[in-house]
Coordinates of all heavy atoms in Angstrom, one line a residue:
L1 N 24.3 -61.6 61.9 CA 23.0 -60.9 61.7 C 23.3 -59.4 61.3 O 22.6 -58.9 60.4 CB 22.2 -60.9 63.0 CG 20.8 -60.2 62.9 CD1 19.9 -60.9 61.8 CD2 20.2 -60.2 64.2
G2 N 24.3 -58.8 61.9 CA 24.6 -57.4 61.5 C 25.1 -57.3 60.1 O 24.7 -56.4 59.4
H3 N 25.9 -58.3 59.7 CA 26.4 -58.3 58.3 C 25.3 -58.4 57.3 O 25.2 -57.7 56.3 CB 27.4 -59.4 58.2 CG 28.1 -59.5 56.8 ND1 27.5 -60.3 55.8 CD2 29.2 -58.9 56.3 CE1 28.3 -60.1 54.7 NE2 29.3 -59.3 55.1
T4 N 24.3 -59.3 57.6 CA 23.2 -59.5 56.7 C 22.3 -58.3 56.7 O 21.8 -57.9 55.6 CB 22.3 -60.7 57.2 OG1 23.2 -61.9 57.2 CG2 21.1 -60.9 56.3
W5 N 22.1 -57.6 57.8 CA 21.3 -56.4 57.9 C 21.9 -55.3 57.0 O 21.2 -54.7 56.2 CB 21.1 -56.0 59.3 CG 20.4 -54.7 59.4 CD1 21.0 -53.5 59.8 CD2 19.1 -54.4 59.1 NE1 20.0 -52.5 59.7 CE2 18.9 -53.0 59.3 CE3 18.0 -55.1 58.7 CZ2 17.6 -52.4 59.1 CZ3 16.8 -54.5 58.5 CH2 16.6 -53.1 58.7
V6 N 23.2 -55.1 57.2 CA 23.8 -54.0 56.5 C 23.9 -54.2 55.0 O 23.7 -53.4 54.2 CB 25.2 -53.7 57.1 CG1 26.0 -52.7 56.2 CG2 25.0 -53.1 58.5
N7 N 24.2 -55.5 54.6 CA 24.5 -55.8 53.2 C 23.3 -56.2 52.4 O 23.3 -56.1 51.2 CB 25.6 -56.9 53.1 CG 26.9 -56.3 53.5 OD1 27.3 -55.2 53.3 ND2 27.7 -57.2 54.2
V8 N 22.2 -56.7 53.1 CA 21.1 -57.2 52.3 C 19.8 -56.4 52.6 O 19.1 -55.9 51.8 CB 20.9 -58.7 52.6 CG1 19.6 -59.2 51.9 CG2 22.1 -59.5 52.2
L9 N 19.5 -56.3 53.9 CA 18.2 -55.7 54.3 C 18.2 -54.2 54.2 O 17.2 -53.6 53.8 CB 17.8 -56.2 55.7 CG 17.6 -57.7 55.9 CD1 17.4 -58.1 57.3 CD2 16.5 -58.2 55.0
L10 N 19.2 -53.6 54.6 CA 19.3 -52.1 54.6 C 19.1 -51.6 53.2 O 18.3 -50.7 52.9 CB 20.5 -51.6 55.3 CG 20.6 -50.0 55.4 CD1 19.4 -49.5 56.2 CD2 21.9 -49.7 56.0
P11 N 19.9 -52.1 52.2 CA 19.7 -51.6 50.8 C 18.3 -51.8 50.3 O 17.7 -51.0 49.6 CB 20.7 -52.4 50.0 CG 21.7 -52.8 51.0 CD 21.0 -53.0 52.3
H12 N 17.7 -52.9 50.7 CA 16.3 -53.2 50.3 C 15.3 -52.2 50.9 O 14.4 -51.7 50.2 CB 15.9 -54.7 50.7 CG 14.5 -55.0 50.5 ND1 13.9 -55.1 49.3 CD2 13.5 -55.1 51.4 CE1 12.6 -55.3 49.4 NE2 12.3 -55.4 50.7
V13 N 15.5 -52.0 52.2 CA 14.6 -51.0 52.9 C 14.7 -49.6 52.3 O 13.8 -48.9 52.1 CB 14.9 -51.1 54.4 CG1 14.2 -49.9 55.1 CG2 14.4 -52.4 55.0
L14 N 16.0 -49.2 52.1 CA 16.2 -47.8 51.6 C 15.8 -47.7 50.1 O 15.6 -46.5 49.7 CB 17.7 -47.5 51.7 CG 18.2 -47.3 53.1 CD1 19.7 -47.1 53.1 CD2 17.5 -46.2 53.8
S15 N 15.6 -48.7 49.4 CA 15.2 -48.6 48.0 C 13.7 -48.4 47.8 O 13.3 -48.1 46.7 CB 15.6 -49.9 47.2 OG 14.8 -51.0 47.6
K16 N 12.9 -48.6 48.8 CA 11.4 -48.5 48.7 C 11.0 -47.0 49.1 O 11.4 -46.5 50.1 CB 10.7 -49.5 49.6 CG 11.1 -50.9 49.4 CD 10.6 -51.4 48.0 CE 11.0 -52.8 47.8 NZ 10.7 -53.3 46.5
P17 N 10.1 -46.4 48.3 CA 9.6 -45.1 48.6 C 8.6 -45.1 49.8 O 7.7 -46.0 49.8 CB 9.0 -44.6 47.3 CG 8.7 -45.8 46.5 CD 9.7 -46.8 47.0
V18 N 8.7 -44.2 50.7 CA 7.8 -44.1 51.8 C 6.4 -43.6 51.3 O 6.3 -42.8 50.4 CB 8.3 -43.1 52.9 CG1 7.4 -43.0 54.1 CG2 9.7 -43.5 53.3
R19 N 5.3 -44.2 51.9 CA 3.9 -43.9 51.6 C 3.5 -44.3 50.2 O 2.5 -44.0 49.7 CB 3.6 -42.4 51.8 CG 3.7 -41.9 53.2 CD 2.8 -42.4 54.2 NE 1.4 -42.1 53.9 CZ 0.4 -42.6 54.6 NH1 0.6 -43.3 55.7 NH2 -0.8 -42.3 54.3
V20 N 4.4 -45.1 49.5 CA 4.1 -45.7 48.2 C 4.2 -47.2 48.3 O 3.3 -47.9 48.0 CB 5.0 -45.2 47.1 CG1 4.6 -45.9 45.8 CG2 4.8 -43.7 46.9
A21 N 5.3 -47.7 48.8 CA 5.5 -49.1 49.0 C 5.2 -49.6 50.5 O 4.9 -50.7 50.7 CB 6.9 -49.5 48.7
Y22 N 5.3 -48.7 51.4 CA 5.1 -49.0 52.8 C 4.8 -47.7 53.6 O 5.0 -46.6 53.1 CB 6.3 -49.7 53.4 CG 7.5 -48.8 53.6 CD1 7.7 -48.1 54.8 CD2 8.4 -48.5 52.6 CE1 8.8 -47.3 54.9 CE2 9.5 -47.7 52.7 CZ 9.7 -47.1 53.9 OH 10.7 -46.2 54.0
G23 N 4.4 -47.8 54.8 CA 4.2 -46.7 55.6 C 3.5 -47.0 56.9 O 3.1 -48.2 57.1
V24 N 3.3 -46.0 57.8 CA 2.6 -46.2 59.0 C 1.2 -45.7 58.8 O 0.9 -44.7 58.2 CB 3.3 -45.5 60.2 CG1 2.5 -45.6 61.5 CG2 4.7 -45.9 60.4
I25 N 0.2 -46.5 59.3 CA -1.2 -46.1 59.1 C -1.5 -44.9 60.0 O -1.2 -44.9 61.2 CB -2.1 -47.3 59.5 CG1 -1.9 -48.4 58.5 CG2 -3.6 -46.8 59.4 CD1 -2.7 -49.7 58.8
T26 N -2.2 -43.9 59.4 CA -2.6 -42.7 60.2 C -3.8 -43.0 61.0 O -4.5 -44.0 60.8 CB -2.8 -41.5 59.2 OG1 -3.9 -41.8 58.4 CG2 -1.6 -41.1 58.4
M27 N -4.2 -42.1 61.9 CA -5.4 -42.3 62.7 C -6.7 -42.4 61.9 O -7.5 -43.3 62.1 CB -5.5 -41.2 63.7 CG -6.6 -41.4 64.7 SD -6.4 -42.9 65.7 CE -5.2 -42.4 66.8
Q28 N -6.8 -41.6 60.8 CA -8.0 -41.7 60.0 C -8.0 -43.0 59.2 O -9.1 -43.7 59.1 CB -8.0 -40.6 58.9 CG -8.2 -39.2 59.5 CD -6.9 -38.5 59.9 OE1 -5.8 -39.1 59.6 NE2 -6.9 -37.4 60.5
E29 N -6.9 -43.5 58.7 CA -6.8 -44.8 58.0 C -7.1 -45.9 59.0 O -7.7 -46.9 58.7 CB -5.4 -45.0 57.4 CG -5.2 -44.0 56.3 CD -3.7 -44.0 55.8 OE1 -2.9 -44.4 56.6 OE2 -3.5 -43.5 54.7
W30 N -6.6 -45.8 60.3 CA -6.9 -46.8 61.3 C -8.3 -46.9 61.6 O -8.9 -48.0 61.7 CB -6.0 -46.5 62.5 CG -6.2 -47.5 63.6 CD1 -6.8 -47.3 64.8 CD2 -5.9 -48.9 63.6 NE1 -6.8 -48.4 65.6 CE2 -6.3 -49.4 64.9 CE3 -5.3 -49.7 62.7 CZ2 -6.1 -50.8 65.2 CZ3 -5.2 -51.1 63.0 CH2 -5.5 -51.6 64.2
K31 N -9.0 -45.8 61.7 CA -10.5 -45.9 62.0 C -11.2 -46.5 60.8 O -12.2 -47.3 61.0 CB -11.0 -44.5 62.2 CG -10.6 -43.9 63.5 CD -11.1 -42.5 63.7 CE -10.5 -41.9 65.0 NZ -10.9 -40.5 65.2
A32 N -10.8 -46.2 59.6 CA -11.4 -46.9 58.4 C -11.2 -48.4 58.4 O -12.0 -49.2 58.1 CB -10.9 -46.2 57.1
V33 N -9.9 -48.8 58.8 CA -9.6 -50.2 58.8 C -10.4 -50.9 59.9 O -11.0 -52.0 59.7 CB -8.1 -50.4 59.1 CG1 -7.8 -51.8 59.5 CG2 -7.3 -50.0 57.9
L34 N -10.6 -50.3 61.1 CA -11.4 -50.9 62.1 C -12.9 -51.0 61.7 O -13.6 -52.0 62.1 CB -11.3 -50.1 63.4 CG -10.0 -50.3 64.2 CD1 -10.0 -49.5 65.4 CD2 -9.8 -51.8 64.5
N35 N -13.4 -50.0 61.0 CA -14.8 -50.1 60.5 C -14.9 -51.3 59.5 O -15.9 -52.0 59.5 CB -15.2 -48.8 59.9 CG -15.4 -47.8 60.9 OD1 -15.7 -48.0 62.1 ND2 -15.4 -46.5 60.4
A36 N -13.9 -51.5 58.7 CA -14.0 -52.6 57.6 C -13.7 -53.9 58.2 O -14.4 -54.9 57.9 CB -13.0 -52.3 56.5
A37 N -12.8 -54.0 59.1 CA -12.4 -55.3 59.7 C -12.1 -55.1 61.2 O -11.0 -54.8 61.6 CB -11.1 -55.8 59.0
P38 N -13.1 -55.2 62.1 CA -12.9 -55.0 63.5 C -11.9 -55.9 64.2 O -11.4 -55.5 65.3 CB -14.3 -55.2 64.1 CG -15.2 -55.2 63.0 CD -14.5 -55.6 61.8
Q39 N -11.6 -57.0 63.6 CA -10.6 -57.9 64.3 C -9.2 -57.6 63.8 O -8.3 -58.5 64.1 CB -10.9 -59.4 63.9 CG -12.2 -59.9 64.5 CD -13.4 -59.6 63.6 OE1 -13.3 -59.1 62.5 NE2 -14.6 -59.8 64.1
S40 N -8.9 -56.5 63.2 CA -7.5 -56.2 62.8 C -6.6 -56.1 64.0 O -7.0 -55.5 65.0 CB -7.5 -54.9 62.0 OG -8.2 -55.0 60.8
P41 N -5.4 -56.7 63.9 CA -4.5 -56.6 65.0 C -4.0 -55.2 65.2 O -3.8 -54.4 64.3 CB -3.4 -57.5 64.6 CG -3.4 -57.7 63.1 CD -4.9 -57.4 62.8
V42 N -3.7 -54.9 66.5 CA -3.1 -53.5 66.8 C -1.8 -53.3 66.2 O -1.4 -52.2 65.9 CB -3.1 -53.3 68.3 CG1 -2.5 -52.0 68.7 CG2 -4.5 -53.5 68.9
S43 N -1.0 -54.4 65.9 CA 0.3 -54.2 65.3 C 0.2 -53.5 64.0 O 1.2 -52.9 63.5 CB 0.9 -55.6 65.1 OG 0.2 -56.4 64.2
R44 N -0.9 -53.6 63.3 CA -1.0 -52.8 62.0 C -1.0 -51.3 62.2 O -0.6 -50.6 61.3 CB -2.3 -53.2 61.3 CG -2.3 -54.6 60.7 CD -3.5 -54.9 59.8 NE -3.8 -53.9 58.8 CZ -3.1 -53.8 57.6 NH1 -2.2 -54.7 57.3 NH2 -3.5 -52.9 56.7
F45 N -1.3 -50.9 63.4 CA -1.3 -49.4 63.7 C 0.1 -49.0 64.2 O 0.5 -47.9 64.1 CB -2.3 -49.1 64.8 CG -2.4 -47.6 65.1 CD1 -2.8 -46.7 64.1 CD2 -2.2 -47.2 66.4 CE1 -2.9 -45.4 64.4 CE2 -2.3 -45.8 66.7 CZ -2.6 -44.9 65.7
K46 N 0.8 -49.9 64.8 CA 2.1 -49.6 65.4 C 3.3 -49.8 64.5 O 4.3 -49.2 64.6 CB 2.4 -50.4 66.7 CG 1.3 -50.3 67.7 CD 1.3 -48.9 68.3 CE 0.3 -48.8 69.5 NZ 0.2 -47.5 70.0
L47 N 3.2 -50.8 63.5 CA 4.3 -51.2 62.6 C 4.0 -50.7 61.2 O 2.8 -50.5 60.9 CB 4.5 -52.7 62.6 CG 5.1 -53.3 63.9 CD1 5.1 -54.8 63.7 CD2 6.5 -52.8 64.1
A48 N 5.0 -50.6 60.4 CA 4.8 -50.2 59.0 C 4.1 -51.4 58.3 O 4.3 -52.6 58.6 CB 6.2 -50.0 58.3
V49 N 3.2 -51.0 57.4 CA 2.5 -52.0 56.6 C 2.8 -51.8 55.1 O 3.1 -50.6 54.7 CB 1.0 -52.0 56.9 CG1 0.7 -52.4 58.3 CG2 0.4 -50.6 56.6
P50 N 2.6 -52.8 54.3 CA 2.7 -52.6 52.8 C 1.6 -51.7 52.3 O 0.5 -51.8 52.8 CB 2.6 -54.0 52.2 CG 2.7 -54.9 53.4 CD 2.4 -54.2 54.6
F51 N 1.9 -50.9 51.3 CA 0.9 -50.1 50.6 C 0.7 -50.7 49.2 O 1.6 -51.2 48.6 CB 1.4 -48.7 50.5 CG 1.2 -47.8 51.7 CD1 1.3 -48.4 53.0 CD2 0.9 -46.5 51.6 CE1 1.1 -47.6 54.1 CE2 0.6 -45.7 52.7 CZ 0.7 -46.3 54.0
V52 N -0.5 -50.6 48.7 CA -0.8 -51.0 47.3 C -0.7 -49.9 46.3 O -0.7 -50.1 45.1 CB -2.2 -51.7 47.3 CG1 -2.3 -52.9 48.1 CG2 -3.3 -50.7 47.7
G53 N -0.6 -48.7 46.8 CA -0.4 -47.5 45.9 C -0.1 -46.3 46.8 O 0.1 -46.4 48.0
K54 N 0.0 -45.1 46.2 CA 0.3 -43.9 46.9 C -0.8 -43.7 48.0 O -2.0 -43.5 47.7 CB 0.3 -42.7 45.9 CG 0.6 -41.4 46.6 CD 2.0 -41.2 46.9 CE 2.2 -39.7 47.4 NZ 2.6 -39.6 48.7
D55 N -0.4 -43.6 49.3 CA -1.2 -43.3 50.4 C -2.4 -44.3 50.5 O -3.5 -44.0 51.0 CB -1.8 -41.9 50.4 CG -0.7 -40.9 50.6 OD1 0.3 -41.2 51.3 OD2 -0.8 -39.8 50.0
M56 N -2.2 -45.6 50.1 CA -3.3 -46.6 50.2 C -2.7 -47.9 50.8 O -2.1 -48.7 50.2 CB -3.8 -47.0 48.8 CG -4.5 -45.8 48.1 SD -5.2 -46.3 46.5 CE -6.3 -47.7 47.0
P57 N -2.9 -48.0 52.2 CA -2.4 -49.2 52.8 C -3.1 -50.4 52.4 O -4.3 -50.4 52.1 CB -2.6 -48.9 54.3 CG -3.4 -47.6 54.4 CD -3.5 -47.0 53.1
S58 N -2.4 -51.5 52.4 CA -3.1 -52.8 52.1 C -4.1 -53.1 53.2 O -3.9 -52.8 54.4 CB -2.0 -53.9 52.1 OG -2.6 -55.1 52.0
T59 N -5.2 -53.7 52.9 CA -6.2 -54.0 53.8 C -5.8 -55.0 54.9 O -6.3 -54.8 56.1 CB -7.5 -54.5 53.2 OG1 -7.2 -55.6 52.4 CG2 -8.1 -53.4 52.3
S60 N -5.0 -56.0 54.6 CA -4.7 -57.0 55.6 C -3.3 -57.5 55.6 O -3.0 -58.3 56.4 CB -5.7 -58.2 55.4 OG -5.5 -58.8 54.2
S61 N -2.5 -57.1 54.7 CA -1.1 -57.6 54.6 C -0.2 -57.0 55.7 O -0.4 -55.8 56.1 CB -0.5 -57.3 53.2 OG -1.2 -57.9 52.2
E62 N 0.8 -57.8 56.1 CA 1.8 -57.3 56.9 C 3.2 -57.9 56.4 O 3.2 -58.8 55.7 CB 1.6 -57.8 58.4 CG 0.4 -57.2 59.1 CD 0.3 -57.6 60.5 OE1 1.1 -58.4 61.0 OE2 -0.6 -57.1 61.2
F63 N 4.3 -57.3 56.8 CA 5.6 -57.8 56.4 C 5.9 -59.1 57.1 O 5.7 -59.2 58.3 CB 6.7 -56.8 56.6 CG 6.6 -55.5 55.7 CD1 6.2 -54.3 56.3 CD2 6.8 -55.6 54.4 CE1 6.0 -53.2 55.5 CE2 6.7 -54.5 53.6 CZ 6.3 -53.3 54.1
A64 N 6.4 -60.1 56.4 CA 6.6 -61.4 57.0 C 7.9 -61.5 57.8 O 8.0 -62.2 58.8 CB 6.6 -62.4 55.9
Q65 N 8.9 -60.7 57.3 CA 10.2 -60.8 58.0 C 10.3 -59.7 59.1 O 10.2 -58.5 58.7 CB 11.3 -60.7 57.0 CG 12.7 -61.0 57.6 CD 13.7 -61.1 56.6 OE1 13.5 -60.8 55.4 NE2 14.9 -61.5 57.0
P66 N 10.5 -60.0 60.3 CA 10.5 -59.0 61.4 C 11.6 -57.9 61.2 O 11.4 -56.8 61.5 CB 10.8 -59.8 62.7 CG 10.5 -61.2 62.3 CD 10.7 -61.4 60.9
D67 N 12.8 -58.3 60.7 CA 13.9 -57.4 60.5 C 13.4 -56.3 59.4 O 13.7 -55.1 59.6 CB 15.1 -58.0 60.0 CG 15.7 -58.9 61.0 OD1 15.5 -58.7 62.2 OD2 16.5 -59.9 60.7
V68 N 12.8 -56.7 58.4 CA 12.3 -55.8 57.4 C 11.2 -54.9 57.9 O 11.2 -53.7 57.7 CB 11.8 -56.5 56.1 CG1 11.2 -55.6 55.1 CG2 13.0 -57.2 55.5
A69 N 10.3 -55.4 58.7 CA 9.2 -54.7 59.3 C 9.8 -53.6 60.3 O 9.3 -52.4 60.3 CB 8.3 -55.6 60.1
I70 N 10.8 -53.9 61.0 CA 11.4 -53.0 61.9 C 12.1 -51.9 61.2 O 12.0 -50.7 61.5 CB 12.4 -53.7 62.9 CG1 11.6 -54.5 63.9 CG2 13.2 -52.7 63.7 CD1 12.4 -55.5 64.7
G71 N 12.8 -52.2 60.1 CA 13.5 -51.2 59.3 C 12.5 -50.3 58.6 O 12.7 -49.0 58.6
F72 N 11.5 -50.8 58.0 CA 10.5 -50.0 57.4 C 9.8 -49.1 58.5 O 9.4 -47.9 58.2 CB 9.4 -50.8 56.7 CG 9.9 -51.3 55.3 CD1 9.6 -52.6 54.9 CD2 10.6 -50.5 54.5 CE1 10.0 -53.1 53.7 CE2 11.0 -50.9 53.2 CZ 10.7 -52.2 52.8
T73 N 9.5 -49.6 59.7 CA 8.8 -48.8 60.7 C 9.7 -47.6 61.1 O 9.2 -46.5 61.3 CB 8.5 -49.7 61.9 OG1 7.7 -50.8 61.5 CG2 7.8 -48.9 63.0
I74 N 11.0 -47.9 61.3 CA 11.9 -46.8 61.7 C 11.9 -45.7 60.7 O 11.8 -44.5 61.0 CB 13.3 -47.4 62.0 CG1 13.3 -48.2 63.3 CG2 14.3 -46.2 62.1 CD1 14.6 -49.0 63.5
L75 N 12.0 -46.1 59.4 CA 12.1 -45.1 58.3 C 10.7 -44.4 58.2 O 10.7 -43.2 58.0 CB 12.5 -45.7 57.0 CG 13.9 -46.0 56.9 CD1 14.2 -46.7 55.5 CD2 14.8 -44.8 57.0
A76 N 9.6 -45.1 58.4 CA 8.3 -44.5 58.2 C 8.1 -43.4 59.3 O 7.6 -42.3 59.0 CB 7.2 -45.5 58.3
F77 N 8.4 -43.7 60.5 CA 8.3 -42.7 61.6 C 9.3 -41.6 61.4 O 9.0 -40.5 61.8 CB 8.4 -43.4 63.0 CG 7.2 -44.1 63.5 CD1 7.2 -45.4 63.6 CD2 6.1 -43.3 63.8 CE1 6.0 -46.0 64.1 CE2 4.9 -43.9 64.3 CZ 4.9 -45.3 64.4
H78 N 10.4 -41.9 60.9 CA 11.4 -40.8 60.6 C 10.9 -39.8 59.6 O 11.0 -38.6 59.8 CB 12.7 -41.4 60.2 CG 13.7 -40.4 59.7 ND1 14.4 -39.6 60.7 CD2 14.2 -40.0 58.5 CE1 15.2 -38.8 60.0 NE2 15.1 -39.0 58.7
Y79 N 10.3 -40.3 58.5 CA 9.8 -39.4 57.5 C 8.4 -38.9 57.7 O 8.0 -38.0 57.0 CB 9.8 -40.2 56.1 CG 11.1 -40.4 55.6 CD1 11.6 -41.7 55.3 CD2 12.0 -39.4 55.3 CE1 12.8 -42.0 54.8 CE2 13.3 -39.6 54.8 CZ 13.7 -40.9 54.6 OH 14.9 -41.2 54.1
Q80 N 7.7 -39.3 58.8 CA 6.4 -38.9 59.0 C 6.3 -37.5 59.6 O 6.9 -37.0 60.4 CB 5.7 -39.9 60.0 CG 4.2 -39.6 60.1 CD 3.5 -40.7 61.0 OE1 4.2 -41.4 61.6 NE2 2.2 -40.7 60.9

């Protein structure tokens, strides 16, 4: 798993720009998401989510692979 993470997942995670391809939802964005979809899971607020454009989080998408989600989350909080 470590070999796969370093050789495959880490280069993929580092190649994506923060707040353009992924990011952590801010409090204002979270309130807007809850108004639009009250059943949104709390994980969307705690984990990195895909973005559809600059500073525009996807309305309902989440990363499918947990390793990628964790890598993006660590970088998003680091750059925040």
Side-chain angles (χ1 to χ4, degrees):
L1 180 63
H3 183 267
T4 302
W5 172 252
V6 170
N7 290 323
V8 177
L9 299 175
L10 185 60
H12 170 70
V13 168
L14 291 175
S15 71
K16 303 293 182 185
V18 181
R19 299 293 298 175
V20 176
Y22 70 94
V24 178
I25 297 177
T26 64
M27 187 58 76
Q28 294 89 4
E29 293 166 342
W30 179 244
K31 289 178 184 177
V33 167
L34 284 180
N35 288 338
Q39 293 85 7
S40 293
V42 178
S43 63
R44 288 186 53 80
F45 183 62
K46 302 292 184 184
L47 290 174
V49 295
F51 277 36
V52 294
K54 176 80 171 112
D55 293 329
M56 293 184 59
S58 171
T59 56
S60 62
S61 297
E62 293 184 356
F63 292 108
Q65 190 169 10
D67 294 336
V68 171
I70 291 169
F72 281 139
T73 301
I74 290 169
L75 283 179
F77 277 114
H78 174 73
Y79 289 121
Q80 188 175 14

